Amino acid sequence: MTPYQNSHICFDSVSAKELAEQYGTPLYVYEAGRIRENFQQLDHAFKKEWPNFQIYYAVKSNSNPAIVKLLMNEGAFCDCASLNEILLAQKLGAKGKEILFSGNYLSDEDLKAGMESKAYVNLDDASLLERLLKFGRPEVLSFRINPDIGKSNVHESDVMAGKQAKFGIPWEKAKEAYAKAKEAGITKFGVHMMTGSCVTEPEYFEEITKKLLDCVGPIARDLNIKFEFIDIGGGFGIPYLPDEKPLDIEKTAKKVCSIFKKKTKEFGLGDVQLVVEPGRYLVGDAGFIIGRVHAIKESYKKFVGTDVGMSVLARPVLYGAYHGIHVDKMTAHGEPTKTAHGEPTKTAHGEPVEPEKVTITGQACENADAWAKDRALPKCEVGDLIVVENAGAYGYVMSYPYNGRLRPAEVLVDGSTHKLIRRRETFEDWISGTIS
Ligand code: LLP
């Protein structure tokens, strides 16, 4: 996003105003260029250090087929959490090992479908092995390990390893799981962990990589088994708060690969493939929501009512997550009244544009829907457009049609072109499948 170009907020060279007029609001907008850049940055950073490296895109973070395809075209494989995500990846052309199936608490139906899909299956627990074997013997089998370290800069529910986590096999019990699989005749293995989402400290990724390798190294040696891949998960964070620092991906890759080199050598793991499965890092900052101000109320405090509410973007209400908000508006002096994160900006004459503290709310019949509290923003009027940042990951995928406020449309901007990649939900979509 360019905050202001030709006097309006722009995505690449397309203005928020033009998109809102053509497609309506609320509207999810993604910048293709940014997604490609994010992918290449991460890919290059790691490949430089360990060429046998593969990104599996976490489809759950944004499963719009146009976005998944865009990343596949860059070279991403797909990390899928469910049968439907596998079907989506297959529909887009992914096959076999290009799909990693990492579900949890799976049904027999899921396990069967996983086997039939020929995807790499990553089991969340040793108890699933026997059930999986009813449907055949996988050529390569992976287990998800809980290394007993977890972290998130968002919320405790984004911490996915450690004693409170529902995921993975406690690392102390991992050897038993691989021994069982070897006994069952499986000869090729992978290992996986996903310890937390949205971490911006490079040292953390080094620490978890070391812990995982210290777990699998002795297993490979003691059981005399071969690992095809070692998957250290996703979790690469992005800054949401105004003063948050971005993750230094170069430094992260250096640190991770340096310990990876040392430990693979120490345990004789050879040129094993290093896998990561990011979602947020690839698409998070490439997505935005354009909303419109529909009503303003001076109550005990000032509410700015927009069509971006908790059902359009669930993260603030679910996790107390912060998303930067811009108002697409100019001052009387022709300067943007942008306060990216609430700081007053100056007019052409150097006078500060005084922000006022308002609470941004959606239209749902829940007070939780007043989701951006006491933000300092330029004075809004009914009809103004707002733009919400960092909505590319866990945005649309977590939207829902509560109160009959239906899901938004999605648009992909690529340079000066834009196209609808999902139309707005209609009343017919909403009631389809219901029986009365
Ligand atoms: N791999 C697995 C097995 C995962 O469960 C996840 C995310 C990822 C990869 C990708 O993680 P990422 O690179 O995006 O951090 N709804 C929450 C985030 C939940 C993450 C779920 N799993 C949020 O909006 O903050």
Side-chain angles (χ1 to χ4, degrees):
M1 184 184 97
T2 328
Y4 295 89
Q5 204 174 306
N6 304 326
S7 81
H8 279 286
I9 293 178
C10 284
F11 306 97
D12 283 340
S13 52
V14 184
S15 74
K17 183 169 181 281
E18 179 185 341
L19 293 173
E21 276 165 12
Q22 181 162 343
Y23 303 106
T25 61
L27 181 70
Y28 272 89
V29 181
Y30 308 106
E31 289 180 327
R34 177 57 76 93
I35 297 176
R36 288 189 201 105
E37 254 170 51
N38 291 344
F39 180 92
Q40 282 160 18
Q41 245 178 18
L42 201 153
D43 201 46
H44 291 163
F46 276 88
K47 274 195 179 138
K48 245 186 349 204
E49 305 292 331
W50 189 266
N52 191 3
F53 172 75
Q54 180 61 48
I55 296 178
Y56 281 72
Y57 168 56
V59 171
K60 62 177 79 68
S61 61
N62 187 325
S63 54
N64 187 296
I67 304 288
V68 182
K69 189 70 198 171
L70 192 155
L71 283 161
M72 284 170 66
N73 288 343
E74 291 302 301
F77 291 173
C78 298
D79 162 40
C80 298
S82 64
L83 174 57
N84 284 324
E85 285 189 357
I86 292 178
L87 291 175
L88 176 65
Q90 285 176 331
K91 193 172 154 62
L92 297 172
K95 310 190 215 23
K97 70 170 190 182
E98 293 165 13
I99 302 174
L100 177 66
F101 180 29
S102 283
N104 59 93
Y105 301 88
L106 296 176
S107 67
D108 277 4
E109 197 188 355
D110 293 325
L111 291 166
K112 182 165 182 274
M115 275 304 299
E116 283 170 3
S117 73
K118 305 256 186 278
Y120 273 177
V121 178
N122 179 43
L123 294 181
D124 189 59
D125 191 30
S127 67
L128 295 172
L129 179 61
E130 222 168 284
R131 288 171 51 204
L132 181 78
L133 291 171
K134 286 193 289 194
F135 308 110
R137 196 167 57 200
E139 199 195 321
V140 181
L141 181 71
S142 171
F143 286 109
R144 178 170 183 164
I145 307 301
N146 177 347
D148 199 14
I149 315 173
K151 186 176 169 61
S152 166
N153 293 351
V154 169
H155 191 259
E156 62 184 19
S157 65
D158 274 0
V159 176
M160 291 168 184
K163 304 241 166 12
Q164 299 306 320
K166 71 165 184 158
F167 304 105
I169 302 173
W171 68 271
E172 300 91 332
K173 292 185 176 175
K175 191 167 159 185
E176 269 171 59
Y178 284 100
K180 257 195 195 174
K182 187 184 175 190
E183 247 172 65
I186 296 165
T187 55
K188 293 180 179 171
F189 297 92
V191 66
H192 168 276
M193 68 177 165
M194 170 66 200
T195 64
S197 189
C198 203
V199 178
T200 48
E201 294 79 16
E203 295 72 21
Y204 175 77
F205 294 96
E206 178 187 24
E207 185 190 353
I208 57 171
T209 304
K210 178 172 184 301
K211 186 84 191 263
L212 185 66
L213 285 159
D214 279 337
C215 169
V216 296
I219 293 176
R221 193 186 51 207
D222 298 352
L223 299 178
N224 191 25
I225 60 175
K226 186 165 169 353
F227 280 90
E228 304 294 313
F229 67 89
I230 295 179
D231 181 346
I232 63 167
F236 305 104
I238 59 169
Y240 285 90
L241 290 157
D243 51 359
E244 243 177 314
K245 288 208 175 62
L247 172 69
D248 183 338
I249 201 67
E250 292 283 330
K251 189 170 169 194
T252 304
K254 274 209 174 76
K255 282 186 171 292
V256 165
C257 294
S258 153
I259 195 76
F260 198 79
K261 277 176 208 162
K262 182 165 172 247
K263 291 286 170 184
T264 48
K265 194 161 171 221
E266 180 182 333
F267 294 115
L269 295 169
D271 181 29
V272 57
Q273 186 173 58
L274 171 60
V275 168
V276 296
E277 43 186 48
R280 192 185 318 260
Y281 187 85
L282 300 180
V283 293
D285 67 353
F288 306 85
I289 308 169
I290 305 177
R292 199 174 285 285
V293 174
H294 289 298
I296 295 175
K297 180 184 287 181
E298 304 270 4
S299 181
Y300 296 104
K301 58 199 284 193
K302 187 162 180 175
F303 293 98
V304 172
T306 73
D307 47 20
V308 182
M310 62 193 280
S311 64
V312 172
L313 183 68
R315 303 190 69 259
V317 169
L318 268 180
Y319 314 120
Y322 181 98
H323 284 260
I325 299 171
H326 299 258
V327 180
D328 188 35
K329 208 166 179 195
M330 309 295 291
T331 66
H333 307 287
E335 275 282 282
T337 59
K338 174 202 157 211
T339 59
H341 296 290
E343 330 79 37
T345 53
K346 302 250 188 315
T347 67
H349 304 284
E351 304 141 11
V353 175
E354 284 306 325
E356 53 173 5
K357 281 215 167 153
V358 297
T359 290
I360 300 283
T361 167
Q363 298 161 314
C365 302
E366 301 241 1
N367 214 40
D369 195 35
W371 59 271
K373 295 204 168 44
D374 305 323
R375 293 283 181 96
L377 287 172
K379 200 169 181 350
C380 292
E381 286 159 287
V382 169
D384 283 347
L385 293 177
I386 62 160
V387 174
V388 181
E389 294 180 325
N390 290 321
Y394 311 108
Y396 185 92
V397 284
M398 289 169 62
S399 65
Y400 48 95
Y402 184 46
N403 279 198
R405 297 275 175 199
L406 307 185
R407 289 184 184 89
E410 293 177 288
V411 165
L412 184 66
V413 175
D414 200 352
S416 58
T417 65
H418 50 92
K419 66 171 182 194
L420 192 64
I421 55 170
R422 190 187 317 255
R423 65 163 170 75
R424 190 170 297 286
E425 217 171 34
T426 63
F427 175 75
E428 292 306 327
D429 294 328
W430 185 43
I431 59 161
S432 80
T434 60
I435 299 164
S436 53

